[in-house]
Amino acid sequence: MSIQSEIQRRRTFAIISHPDAGKTTLTEKLLLFGGAIHVAGAVKSNKIKKTATSDWMEIEKQRGISVATSVMGFEYRDYKINILDTPGHQDFAEDTYRTLTAVDSVIIVVDSAKGVEAQTRKLMNVCRMRNTPVIVFVNKMDREGRDAFDLLDELEAELGIQARPLSWPISMGISFKGVYNIYEQQLELFTPNKQSISESLAFEDIDNPELEKHIGEKNALKLREDMELIEGVYPAFDKEKYLAGELAPVFFGSALNNFGVKELLNCFVEIAPSPRPVQAKERVVDPYEETFTGFVFKIHANMDPNHRSCIAFVKVCSGRFERNVNYKHIRHKKMMRFSSPTAFMAQKKETLDEAFAGDIVGLPDTGTFKIGDTLTSGEELHFKGLPSFSPEMFKYIENADPMKSKQLEKGVSQLMDEGVAQLFVSQYNNRKIIGTVGQLQFEVIQYRLLHEYGAQCRWEAISLHKACWIESDNPVELENFKRRKAQYMAKDKEGRDVFLADSGYVLQMAQNDFENIRFHFTSEF
Ligand code: G4P
């Protein structure tokens, strides 16, 4: 197969949802269709159960599992599918944001009873920043949920995207009959069954009186009315709009019962984008270019304290990656070759000889990589687009063992390179501040510093509201601002100016008083 067609047939995506909406269940069903696993229950949820937050071994184990299921590749029809897993726990949301920079599209799972939830809204914002195409799967139709039209309205309002149903539920909960597959014009009849696929009948014309035989008079009438409304209210499905991230096709089903999943997958492989061009600082890189380029979007530590090695996850952006070929590590300005890169096929890791644009390659790492590092066949390129978001929690980090200050320094620096949290250095008192999305990250840092670096840290409270990256075209005003706010100025790891606002009010005032300063809530601007 030519490199062109190899790239063309790749579909690299992530499934995102609010915890408990059914991401793990859906992932598992997709793997079943791909023949990557054979029984349900084989995929372990990588979410960290709420009850386990204080049980370290449990978290270690669960993070260990999530390495194995970080990327799941499998073949389906003529397509090579790569599902990138994202941590379910919201304290690791930053990991998810970064994973979203490595995918070409996204499937959002929504619980039919709960609708759009907080985490989904946040993740959708990240998709919108990069115009990532999204498909929505409304799950748990076997339970009493919300009215389908209300859900569509909510999706549009909350996610800021036009919705277009491509399947439509026939009743719900205990009387759930199935869905009408608008995309393929088929009637999919529901039989609750966790392992096998339900019946589908070609049904081009829903006015056909046969419909009553299958779903009863009342449901048939309702379906015809609903379809009329859908065709009247929603514009026809426009693939280009979907690819531009402006319109989200919506499917309904029940992942647990393996219902509506195959329809989703069949439509997904046909409409979802193959690898898309990626923006580097210097230029846009087309996936079909012959030379290899890629970037590190995730680093996963090996949880075995005796082997402090990591896996760097590289997204291949263009061309072909080959084992034992020299590539340039742009930041280190040196050539490197990799003798044991790994591919992730379903739940197995295996050594790969080659990979193509769209694929994820795992490289064993002992501290050479940092999130965002670029590898190329030789060209000086820097991929951008791995934003840091303003953290939500902040603490001073202090050394608790004066004999181990070097270890602490090294540990903190490496953990930040891995993207575990963000480090800011106060320009006022030179103290180090760690910013995270959730409490759990502080615990992970403290634990890993001790177990992997032999360093001990102590946290000290600091009351901050947000970190904003600031810039201005007016150097005098910028200097003036920094002087006035000296107590709240810090540098991030790249040496950029960050304003640490201690309240929403202070931030608002600063924005009003300094009109020529731009305040950014992500590091990508
Ligand atoms: P997540 O990864 O998004 O957090 O969700 P996950 O798949 O773990 O699903 C959360 C819960 O919802 C699970 O139940 C799962 O069985 C259930 N679920 C998923 N899809 C459906 C569906 O289509 N219908 C119904 N009725 N339930 C569904 P649990 O009790 O938390 O876990 P488990 O003991 O069943 O594993």
Side-chain angles (χ1 to χ4, degrees):
M1 203 182 285
S2 69
I3 295 192
Q4 285 269 335
S5 9
E6 279 290 1
I7 298 174
Q8 185 69 45
R9 74 188 192 94
R10 275 160 166 76
R11 299 286 181 270
T12 302
F13 74 107
I15 304 180
I16 56 179
S17 72
H18 191 84
D20 276 347
K23 179 169 70 75
T24 312
T25 316
L26 179 65
T27 307
E28 179 174 278
K29 296 297 143 77
L30 294 175
L31 293 179
L32 274 172
F33 283 117
I37 54 169
H38 299 287
V39 284
V43 175
K44 297 284 175 295
S45 161
N46 98 25
K47 68 184 157 186
I48 291 166
K49 297 265 188 312
K50 288 177 200 81
T51 50
T53 46
S54 56
D55 180 347
W56 282 106
M57 286 326 286
E58 195 48 36
I59 290 189
E60 300 284 276
K61 258 196 330 232
Q62 295 190 23
R63 278 177 65 88
I65 290 165
S66 75
V67 177
T69 56
S70 276
V71 182
M72 288 158 280
F74 64 91
E75 301 274 337
Y76 179 72
R77 290 173 29 191
D78 293 332
Y79 300 93
K80 163 80 193 295
I81 296 183
N82 296 311
I83 306 181
L84 272 57
D85 196 16
T86 52
H89 199 290
Q90 62 171 14
D91 284 12
F92 296 107
E94 194 87 5
D95 248 26
T96 306
Y97 300 151
R98 276 192 296 262
T99 300
L100 292 182
T101 64
V103 299
D104 299 301
S105 71
V106 152
I107 293 181
I108 297 181
V109 184
V110 172
D111 182 322
S112 70
K114 297 190 176 144
V116 176
E117 296 171 87
Q119 186 88 338
T120 320
R121 218 172 287 129
K122 271 198 196 164
L123 295 171
M124 181 66 199
N125 281 339
V126 182
C127 294
R128 209 174 302 107
M129 282 168 71
R130 354 184 70 74
N131 302 322
T132 310
V134 303
I135 295 181
V136 177
F137 182 72
V138 180
N139 191 28
K140 307 198 186 178
M141 290 309 296
D142 59 318
R143 289 224 188 127
E144 291 305 323
R146 306 242 301 269
D147 174 72
F149 283 110
D150 287 352
L151 277 169
L152 290 181
D153 286 349
E154 184 175 304
L155 287 171
E156 293 199 328
E158 296 271 350
L159 301 182
I161 194 163
Q162 215 179 344
R164 163 72 220 199
L166 286 188
S167 80
W168 194 252
I170 304 166
S171 194
M172 68 170 81
I174 38 172
S175 59
F176 183 51
K177 286 283 173 298
V179 295
Y180 180 63
N181 182 344
I182 304 171
Y183 182 69
E184 289 179 285
Q185 297 191 312
Q186 283 180 350
L187 190 62
E188 319 284 351
L189 296 175
F190 175 70
T191 41
N193 184 336
K194 293 179 190 168
Q195 297 281 347
S196 70
I197 307 145
S198 315
E199 195 183 352
S200 44
L201 307 166
F203 222 92
E204 275 174 40
D205 178 13
I206 55 162
D207 288 328
N208 185 334
E210 285 287 301
L211 187 63
E212 271 79 353
K213 279 197 198 149
H214 297 291
I215 59 174
E217 211 166 299
K218 207 170 119 219
N219 286 322
L221 187 69
K222 174 89 168 67
L223 178 64
R224 289 187 188 116
E225 273 172 20
D226 285 355
M227 286 305 296
E228 209 179 311
L229 198 56
I230 290 169
E231 299 310 331
V233 171
Y234 293 93
F237 172 63
D238 178 344
K239 188 172 160 187
E240 291 313 310
K241 278 191 155 182
Y242 156 69
L243 290 175
E246 292 166 15
L247 178 145
V250 181
F251 286 84
F252 292 82
S254 164
L256 186 66
N257 292 293
N258 209 351
F259 187 79
V261 178
K262 190 161 185 220
E263 293 71 32
L264 172 75
L265 182 59
N266 280 339
C267 175
F268 169 80
V269 290
E270 281 166 23
I271 67 169
S274 50
R276 306 200 299 165
V278 187
Q279 179 73 50
K281 202 165 89 194
E282 292 78 2
R283 64 185 183 86
V284 174
V285 176
D286 189 83
Y288 299 98
E289 289 176 21
E290 260 173 40
T291 50
F292 159 75
T293 64
F295 69 88
V296 177
F297 67 95
K298 172 178 172 132
I299 293 175
H300 213 303
N302 185 339
M303 283 302 167
D304 178 350
N306 299 323
H307 304 93
R308 222 193 54 225
S309 67
C310 302
I311 298 179
F313 289 78
V314 176
K315 160 88 187 268
V316 181
C317 296
S318 70
R320 179 167 61 164
F321 170 93
E322 288 172 277
R323 188 159 78 94
N324 279 330
V325 167
N326 273 305
Y327 294 118
K328 189 165 185 181
H329 186 306
I330 302 290
R331 185 171 54 90
H332 288 327
K333 300 191 184 348
K334 71 171 191 208
M335 300 303 281
M336 296 178 80
R337 59 197 201 129
F338 306 94
S339 57
S340 47
T342 45
F344 303 86
M345 291 304 283
Q347 292 164 296
K348 294 195 296 284
K349 275 197 313 190
E350 45 193 54
T351 303
L352 61 78
D353 290 317
E354 58 176 14
F356 299 90
D359 285 337
I360 310 299
V361 176
L363 300 176
D365 175 35
T366 44
T368 21
F369 288 110
K370 204 166 136 166
I371 298 265
D373 275 348
T374 301
L375 283 176
T376 75
S377 300
E379 187 183 347
E380 282 287 320
L381 273 182
H382 300 82
F383 283 106
K384 54 181 216 169
L386 291 146
S388 301
F389 292 83
S390 174
E392 287 167 26
M393 299 177 94
F394 301 85
K395 283 181 189 181
Y396 281 124
I397 182 165
E398 293 298 335
N399 187 3
D401 179 355
M403 305 300 287
K404 299 282 173 66
S405 60
K406 274 225 168 73
Q407 284 85 336
L408 184 75
E409 188 123 335
K410 183 169 176 213
V412 169
S413 167
Q414 288 199 350
L415 292 182
M416 298 307 126
D417 284 351
E418 246 182 62
V420 174
Q422 293 180 60
L423 175 71
F424 304 99
V425 180
S426 163
Q427 298 301 285
Y428 183 66
N429 56 20
N430 235 357
R431 291 176 75 180
K432 288 188 170 129
I433 299 166
I434 303 280
T436 67
V437 179
Q439 176 59 29
L440 196 48
Q441 276 165 291
F442 290 113
E443 294 170 32
V444 169
I445 293 169
Q446 192 160 21
Y447 181 88
R448 289 190 54 189
L449 282 173
L450 182 63
H451 289 258
E452 295 171 34
Y453 300 88
Q456 289 193 46
C457 76
R458 197 158 41 74
W459 301 111
E460 250 178 59
I462 173 171
S463 161
L464 289 175
H465 167 66
K466 271 222 161 24
C468 329
W469 285 263
I470 56 163
E471 55 160 6
S472 174
D473 300 327
N474 181 337
V476 177
E477 185 160 333
L478 192 61
E479 277 319 303
N480 187 15
F481 179 85
K482 288 204 249 175
R483 229 185 1 261
R484 283 260 301 274
K485 300 284 178 194
Q487 229 177 317
Y488 299 100
M489 290 309 300
K491 295 269 185 200
D492 74 0
K493 204 150 183 284
E494 316 302 327
R496 287 175 295 201
D497 287 323
V498 178
F499 170 52
L500 302 171
D502 59 349
S503 75
Y505 176 74
V506 165
L507 178 59
Q508 180 81 51
M509 291 302 286
Q511 284 171 317
N512 291 347
D513 293 349
F514 294 87
E515 283 176 358
N516 295 313
I517 291 186
R518 293 184 289 278
F519 296 79
H520 302 280
F521 298 101
T522 74
S523 64
E524 185 185 279
F525 43 82

